[in-house]
Amino acid sequence: MRRRTFLLTGLGAAGALVLGWGLLPPRQRLTGDAPLPLRDGDVALNGWVAIGRDGIVTAFVPKAEMGQGIHTALAMLLAEELDAPWSAMRVAHAPVDRIYGNIATIVDGLPFHPDGVNALERTVAWLTAKTVRELGIMMTGGSSSVKDCWEPMRLAGATARAQLVAAAARSWGVAPGECTTRDGVVRHAASGREVGYGALVATQVPLPAVREVTLKAPDAFRLIGTPVARLEGGAKARGTAAFALDERPPGLLHAAIRFAPVRGGLVQRVDERAALALPKVRALTTVPPLRGGSGGVAVVADDSWHARRAADALDVTWQDPPGGRPSWGDVRRALDAALDGDDEGFAFHAVGDVDEALDRAATVVEARYAAPYLAHATMEPPNCTVRVGDDGVDVWVGTQVPGIARDAVAEVTGVEPARVRIHERLLGGGFGRRLEVDFIAQAAHVARAVRGRPVSVLWSRTDDLRHDFLRPAAVARFRAGLDGRGKLVAWAARSASQAVIPQYARRLFDLGVPGPDKTTAEGHFDVRYEFPHAAMRHVAVPLDVPVGFWRAVGHSHNAFFTESFMDEVAHAARRDPLEFRRALLARHPRQSAVLARLARESGWGTPVPNAPDGARVARGVAFHQSFGTSVGQVAEVSLAPDGTPRVHRVVAVVDCGIAVNPGHVAQQVESGVVFGLSAALHGAVTLADGAVTEANFDGYRLLRMGEAPRVVVHVLRNAHPPEGLGEPGLPPVAPAVANALFALTGTRLRELPLRVPRPGGPT
């Protein structure tokens, strides 16, 4: 009894502490602890902005620029509230600090349906946000960058503006409320006096503290909502933009890694004599599997060619990974067995009684779908430059997780994290691959072998494809019921795949994460359609293939499953597929408006002109919401004489809330369409005896320029807070193309990549 009383008392006290902590104000995100990388003469007004005597405004951005235009978008938020002229804006990477921790991605990752948020779920989201704010994990991912920084970046600008106004008003002996700002100048209309921001900070007089500020209403925006040119665009066009591969610190050496042929393999024995006998070779070191990576042997040389040549000359005996050597057939059998097995998996969402509704349905439609593993295949392969010295460690890298990268380097080198300096660079593509730090930890390990000299570790394209953390392969099974009038009355979805988050948490944080992984089922459990009866379940399949986050994650394949099957159901109901979807969105006016606009802009329901070679063209539609953003797409598709699908045009309508920069919206949707078409038409990673068979872009094809369609993007304007944008353009394109191919051929394709069967030939 004493033990039970003690336990219950302890649990009650813990609960009270959690509740009390939850009621406290959340940690501020305005002023950090880490010093900012200031120019000479700059004054930091808070952790997000500094102003120089020349009037130049520096926005400190905590997000990676990997082609999505986020540096420009975040600078726009700051400049808007600061009333700074756009011509005066520049950006710098923020240091590693808790105030920049990504809150939106973690909160959005909770396994809640967007239409079913109740008091308990709101409480969990609040406590999660507070906890994540304490942890302060810097991360660029989950299409969350603008959403996560929407408030703190604007608050930083508004606070800095209020401080400058207060300083000017104090020097003039007037009330701050009598002053206005515009284009980097504070004005007092009554006396005709004005002073620029640069002159105010040049006095070196401490600026007054400001307790409260009011953010602008959307109708007062002058910069937000305009198609501003990207800040780094000119440097990229001139070839002067700084990527990690461009880094050339004095004394630079180069390293190449000879990886195990099987993912996760280990070095058992190495004969290094032939490699060390080659010219310009400086050192050799065995690399253990770090942060989920594969083992290998690294050779350091004066240049990359000699390093690669020496790595190829190594005689290595390898040890298989603990998980064995699975092949694609083993994986597919395991997925199918899980889909059809007794394990019901996790019920992410349920409405009504779906079994009874299916029993009473006049028509039941059933189908199975499948999607393969996918690689990230960023144009810039993994690379990192590290110097281990007596003064600490310098790391030049493009990463989506600078704080985690810093901690990984500190662990490998035995240096305190505070003495590891991350020099963030532009990324030549991320797509989730640079959420991993295996290649960064490897570079730090190699740099220890030549202490005092910087070493650049560069992967080959083959290394990249064969040692990636893949987008999980997945299978799904659907059943839908229609009543006698063709109305949808029941929807049952069940899927099976590996789970990403448990693997990711284990290799990066050495943590076991219990509970469901939303990323496995997102895109089929959280759809916005109004099902009278529905059940969505997912079975997590434990396999030894390393998997990771890939652009749009679960949405990337679940949208194909869901929207293709939705077309099947509409066809069985003898209904127009676009109007069939709109009927299921009667209580969702924003989502329904996307489809209504899409019908007008795409010419839905009107004849489709033939292709230039006279081939018949058909349209297919898909609608999907991911990361808070709704996207509808219509694809116009024909078949080449050899039966290859050709996508001529994709019309997209987007509701992402406030479009901070409409030009970025169009660019990201165009990018998502092209990236998604690569996967839809070509993408597949296969395993044979534990090894990835694809070694380069001849085996892992990306969309060619001649295959790229015309993409037309229409952005709905509204005053809702901004949602995600880097990924939502991708999920709808595969089902839109598949649905167009069905309209064209009468054949329903249920597996990716899409392969139209040829008469008399294999599928």
Side-chain angles (χ1 to χ4, degrees):
M1 288 295 294
R2 286 196 303 271
R3 184 182 305 167
R4 183 184 304 172
T5 302
F6 175 79
L7 178 62
L8 292 176
T9 302
L11 290 174
L17 286 173
V18 170
L19 180 60
W21 173 77
L23 294 175
L24 292 174
R27 180 181 292 275
Q28 61 87 26
R29 298 182 70 186
L30 201 59
T31 304
D33 299 321
L36 296 175
L38 299 175
R39 300 181 308 154
D40 184 36
D42 278 6
V43 174
L45 282 76
N46 53 60
W48 303 78
V49 58
I51 299 177
R53 288 171 293 191
D54 54 3
I56 297 297
V57 178
T58 301
F60 292 97
V61 292
K63 307 299 182 182
E65 177 57 78
M66 47 189 171
Q68 77 277 44
I70 195 60
H71 282 188
T72 303
L74 296 187
M76 290 174 69
L77 302 184
L78 185 79
E80 179 68 72
E81 296 290 350
L82 183 59
D83 276 344
W86 185 245
S87 59
M89 296 300 300
R90 65 181 288 270
V91 296
H93 286 100
V96 176
D97 197 294
R98 278 197 297 181
I99 65 168
Y100 308 119
N102 191 320
I103 297 173
T105 289
I106 308 300
V107 174
D108 288 349
L110 294 171
F112 301 152
H113 192 283
D115 287 337
V117 179
N118 53 40
L120 175 60
E121 292 171 346
R122 284 194 294 271
T123 301
V124 171
W126 168 256
L127 292 175
T128 299
K130 284 203 63 179
T131 303
V132 173
R133 189 175 289 206
E134 294 296 321
L135 295 175
I137 300 174
M138 292 177 68
M139 176 188 298
T140 305
S143 293
S144 64
S145 293
V146 167
K147 183 175 183 177
D148 187 61
C149 294
W150 173 248
E151 181 177 296
M153 207 86 191
R154 293 170 60 214
L155 184 62
T159 302
R161 173 187 166 277
Q163 288 181 279
L164 294 164
V165 168
R170 183 176 59 186
S171 68
W172 295 332
V174 301
E178 298 176 18
C179 301
T180 60
T181 57
R182 181 129 182 164
D183 294 333
V185 176
V186 183
R187 293 182 174 87
H188 184 247
S191 64
R193 287 175 290 189
E194 63 179 42
V195 60
Y197 291 172
L200 282 169
V201 300
T203 63
Q204 298 185 346
V205 176
L207 297 176
V210 175
R211 290 187 177 181
E212 293 184 4
V213 296
T214 301
L215 300 180
K216 291 182 181 180
D219 59 5
F221 291 158
R222 294 190 298 114
L223 186 62
I224 293 174
T226 63
V228 174
R230 288 166 61 149
L231 290 173
E232 88 286 5
K236 287 180 175 178
R238 294 188 298 270
T240 59
F243 294 84
L245 268 178
D246 300 316
E247 206 60 46
R248 294 293 184 272
L252 180 66
L253 298 173
H254 297 262
I257 300 178
R258 174 83 172 274
F259 282 101
V262 176
R263 186 70 170 81
L266 304 168
V267 176
Q268 183 174 328
R269 183 193 60 81
V270 57
D271 184 344
E272 58 195 40
R273 290 172 296 180
L276 291 176
L278 293 173
K280 299 188 178 183
V281 173
R282 298 288 185 130
L284 182 147
T285 181
T286 299
V287 181
L290 296 168
R291 299 299 176 119
S294 299
V297 183
V299 179
V300 182
D302 289 347
D303 57 59
S304 58
W305 188 86
H306 283 92
R308 176 56 60 186
R309 183 181 173 215
D312 292 341
L314 291 168
D315 180 10
V316 188
T317 302
W318 303 100
Q319 179 181 332
D320 285 349
R325 303 169 69 102
S327 292
W328 170 242
D330 303 324
V331 171
R332 183 59 189 268
R333 284 189 290 273
L335 294 176
D336 286 336
L339 188 66
D340 298 327
D342 296 331
D343 182 359
E344 293 188 353
F346 184 81
F348 278 88
H349 185 60
V351 177
D353 189 332
V354 71
D355 292 330
E356 181 183 355
L358 285 169
D359 289 341
R360 290 188 287 104
T363 303
V364 175
V365 186
E366 301 183 59
R368 296 173 71 102
Y369 287 84
Y373 288 115
L374 292 177
H376 295 87
T378 59
M379 288 295 98
E380 179 193 17
N383 69 96
C384 180
T385 299
V386 178
R387 184 188 68 86
V388 179
D390 295 336
D391 60 340
V393 182
D394 289 285
V395 183
W396 294 270
V397 70
T399 177
Q400 295 174 244
V401 282
I404 296 173
R406 181 196 64 178
D407 294 344
V409 171
E411 180 181 333
V412 170
T413 60
V415 174
E416 288 294 322
R419 298 180 63 227
V420 176
R421 296 173 289 272
I422 300 291
H423 306 284
E424 179 82 17
R425 295 294 182 258
L426 299 175
L427 281 63
F431 316 127
R433 179 60 179 96
R434 285 174 167 83
L435 287 168
E436 307 288 346
V437 297
D438 55 321
F439 62 99
I440 302 172
Q442 289 169 358
H445 180 88
V446 174
R448 292 171 55 195
V450 286
R451 188 179 179 89
R453 297 281 298 273
V455 181
S456 172
V457 177
L458 171 64
W459 288 24
S460 69
R461 180 59 63 191
T462 299
D463 296 338
D464 180 30
L465 288 172
R466 291 186 170 169
H467 297 274
D468 195 2
F469 298 95
L470 305 173
R471 197 284 307 270
V475 293
R477 187 179 69 213
F478 292 85
R479 299 182 71 206
L482 297 166
D483 66 13
R485 296 173 298 174
K487 181 181 178 181
L488 181 65
V489 294
W491 180 278
R494 177 181 168 92
S495 59
S497 72
Q498 291 174 261
V500 174
I501 288 179
Q503 281 199 22
Y504 186 76
R506 178 66 66 188
R507 61 182 173 253
L508 264 67
F509 307 111
D510 196 25
L511 291 175
V513 178
D517 177 0
K518 177 190 175 183
T519 64
T520 60
E522 61 187 4
H524 85 71
F525 91 90
D526 49 1
V527 295
R528 307 308 296 271
Y529 296 121
E530 299 149 11
F531 300 124
H533 302 273
M536 291 83 158
R537 292 182 172 274
H538 179 82
V539 181
V541 185
L543 297 171
D544 290 311
V545 180
V547 294
F549 298 107
W550 191 88
R551 193 174 187 181
V553 203
H555 293 284
S556 65
H557 50 267
N558 286 325
F560 167 68
F561 300 161
T562 299
E563 283 297 290
S564 296
F565 186 65
M566 183 62 73
D567 234 55
E568 294 201 53
V569 178
H571 181 74
R574 301 181 184 277
R575 298 278 302 280
D576 176 87
L578 192 148
E579 291 305 320
F580 188 75
R581 287 169 170 83
R582 285 198 70 194
L584 294 171
L585 294 169
R587 298 191 300 275
H588 291 78
R590 288 180 64 182
Q591 289 76 14
S592 180
V594 168
L595 284 172
R597 177 75 177 274
L598 181 64
R600 294 196 302 271
E601 300 293 351
S602 67
W604 186 262
T606 64
V608 192
N610 287 344
D613 63 354
R616 190 166 68 90
V617 176
R619 293 190 181 105
V621 65
F623 168 84
H624 194 72
Q625 180 170 309
S626 60
F627 308 98
T629 292
S630 297
V631 180
Q633 291 180 1
V634 167
E636 297 176 353
V637 182
S638 73
L639 293 179
D642 64 356
T644 302
R646 300 181 300 188
V647 184
H648 300 280
R649 186 174 75 136
V650 175
V651 179
V653 174
V654 182
D655 181 351
C656 59
I658 293 175
V660 174
N661 189 319
H664 293 174
V665 175
Q667 290 169 356
Q668 284 306 290
V669 174
E670 291 164 359
S671 165
V673 167
V674 171
F675 202 85
L677 282 176
S678 287
L681 301 178
H682 306 300
V685 169
T686 53
L687 300 170
D689 196 25
V692 172
T693 60
E694 290 74 23
N696 213 313
F697 289 140
D698 56 343
Y700 191 79
R701 274 200 61 191
L702 303 183
L703 201 72
R704 307 299 201 252
M705 291 181 68
E707 298 174 288
R710 179 187 175 210
V711 182
V712 183
V713 182
H714 301 274
V715 184
L716 298 186
R717 293 184 176 273
N718 56 56
H720 294 283
E723 298 286 353
L725 195 58
E727 296 162 279
L730 185 151
V733 71
V737 172
N739 295 336
L741 288 170
F742 173 75
L744 191 66
T745 67
T747 299
R748 181 67 64 180
L749 303 179
R750 300 188 178 96
E751 292 203 15
L752 293 174
L754 300 171
R755 297 282 185 266
V756 178
R758 300 177 186 178
T763 301

